Amino acid sequence: MAAAAVHLTMHGLDLRRSPRRSPAIAARRLVVRVESKLEEEKREIVVKRKKGPLYALKSLILGFNGSKNVEYQGAYKRAVEKAEEIFFSVVTQVGRYVFTMMSTGVILSIGFQLSGGDPQMNTVIWYSWLGGIIIGTMIGSNMVLEEHCKAGPRNVVITGSTRGLGKALAREFLLSGDHVVVASRSPESVQETIEELKENIKAGLLVAKGKDKMRLSQAKVVGISCDVCKPDDVRKLSDFALEEFGSVDIWINNAGTNKGFRPLVQFTDEDINQIVSTNLVGSLLCTREAMRVMSEKGGHVFNMDGAGSGGSSTPLTAVYGSTKCGLRQLQASLQTESKRSKVGIHTASPGMVLTDLLLSGSSLRNKQMFNLICELPETVARTLVPRMRVVKGSGKAINYLTPPRILLALVTAWLRRGRWFDEEGKAVYAAEADRIRNWAENRARFSFTDAMEMYTENTWVSVFSLSVVCAFIILSSSSGT
């Protein structure tokens, strides 16, 4: 009892000063006082930890508010936290850029001094810089091309893969010589898709040559019916993949539904239940199952991004947007939860694809916008699959609609009018069967231009560095002569 009294006294609570009450009441009030004191100490520790420029800035902004309204303070707090996130992201990118510029600037200065400081060497410097960009891009692209070709048969599971983007993804993986499991709720659709993809493989083998033909000969497609909303079906899907291929390297959660464009009040209970079950619950169940089967050998899981995933508003598709926003939260949670896991959790963003999911319930105005930024499933799959095959680590975002593509769409908007739909909203693009008729001939191999696009997407810094090194070598050689 004495030891307990000493411990409580250290926290500012003295038993000897407590008034006489019944033992039960006294004990209960003592516990409350102890918990209150401990909570106060925790808050003091947290405040001490938060001292710093950003915390001071946040306190200043919140102080200027002047309102005691909790709702307003909460809004300001969220705004400041978002500003901090953007600030740190910008600082990181600018920091990398400044570091690279300073490092390469030193190299250029040394090279210029070795050349004797002749102003006429400026032309040589710029030409060598341009040459370095070209050489760096070619070398990097060749590395990507070799890595893609060496990424020998992948075992791939794709849900919702009997039509649209899912089927196009399956076809592209098969083109690379991979083993693919297609899955859908309809057994008939699964069987039809398997037969169609097998015919595509045969057509590809007729025109492929050398290594491409050998790679395509390894391609294999199987399938099973699966309702991703049902845990038993998802387990059967993974067991089927393991039985057929022995392991799973890539799992793509592509199954999704939208139910058209209309206000929330017009969605039925069944509509809401099906959208949430397929898009969110289905992805949760499949991600969990994929992580289980990949836990030993490792692998990569891709959840498909969509409108609303970043938290932006999605009028007329509120239910769909909510599920995609939930998937982004799932991604962030799993990133922290599975840091030491062998399984990489990624997102793939196809942008706007001309599929039944997008077109269901779309208006004439929607279709006019689709002309500008929409693409065919085969075009999007051609970009996404090579990146999925060679992805490393975890937390990667593989996007089709990148800022350069958006800029290109805006610049060429006047050329894109009527590309997919005419003024009355009627489709003017070819049916899927006609589009893939020449698929084998047009997509016989992963081209160098594909590899060049992959390399130059996020590695401009390394290209710039190499170009400056080239300038240094040329300048040094010039000074020696």
Side-chain angles (χ1 to χ4, degrees), residues 82 305-314 321-322 324-329:
K82 185 65 176 178
D305 257 357
S309 59
S312 58
S313 63
T314 55
S322 300
K324 291 302 179 181
C325 187
L327 287 180
R328 183 63 67 88
Q329 200 281 335

Side-chain angles (χ1 to χ4, degrees), residues 185-369:
R185 283 180 294 183
S186 169
E188 294 78 13
S189 296
V190 170
Q191 190 57 40
E192 290 176 4
T193 302
I194 292 174
E195 296 301 325
E196 180 183 333
L197 294 176
K198 284 182 178 179
E199 290 299 321
N200 293 153
I201 296 174
K202 291 179 182 179
L205 287 171
L206 292 176
V207 297
K209 298 179 181 179
K211 293 182 179 179
D212 297 322
K213 188 170 185 177
M214 183 173 60
R215 189 182 307 115
L216 189 55
S217 65
Q218 298 175 334
K220 183 180 179 181
V221 57
V222 295
I224 185 175
S225 61
C226 173
D227 185 343
V228 296
C229 308
K230 299 178 179 178
D232 290 340
D233 276 18
V234 175
R235 279 190 288 270
K236 289 178 182 178
L237 173 60
S238 64
D239 291 342
F240 177 79
L242 293 176
E243 182 181 349
E244 290 288 333
F245 303 140
S247 64
V248 177
D249 300 310
I250 299 174
W251 185 303
I252 303 174
N253 293 321
N254 178 69
T257 186
N258 185 8
K259 297 297 181 181
F261 294 82
R262 57 184 188 273
L264 177 62
V265 294
Q266 295 181 13
F267 280 82
T268 65
D269 295 343
E270 184 180 354
D271 289 338
I272 295 175
N273 182 64
Q274 189 171 350
I275 295 172
V276 175
S277 298
T278 304
N279 298 1
L280 186 56
V281 177
S283 295
L284 282 165
L285 295 175
C286 288
T287 300
R288 182 186 66 179
E289 189 64 19
M291 295 179 72
R292 184 186 69 81
V293 300
M294 295 177 178
S295 59
E296 294 185 6
K297 295 184 178 181
H300 300 277
V301 183
F302 290 90
N303 285 306
M304 303 302 286
D305 257 357
S309 59
S312 58
S313 63
T314 55
L316 305 182
T317 57
V319 185
Y320 176 86
S322 300
T323 60
K324 291 302 179 181
C325 187
L327 287 180
R328 183 63 67 88
Q329 200 281 335
L330 171 66
Q331 168 79 3
S333 299
L334 292 181
Q335 279 296 105
T336 305
E337 185 178 310
S338 56
K339 283 184 177 180
R340 297 184 179 181
S341 173
K342 296 180 181 179
V343 183
I345 308 295
H346 315 278
T347 59
S349 178
M352 303 188 75
V353 189
L354 289 171
T355 61
D356 294 340
L357 178 65
L358 178 69
L359 298 178
S360 60
S362 57
S363 64
L364 176 60
R365 186 175 181 180
N366 295 143
K367 292 177 179 178
Q368 291 173 345
M369 181 187 65

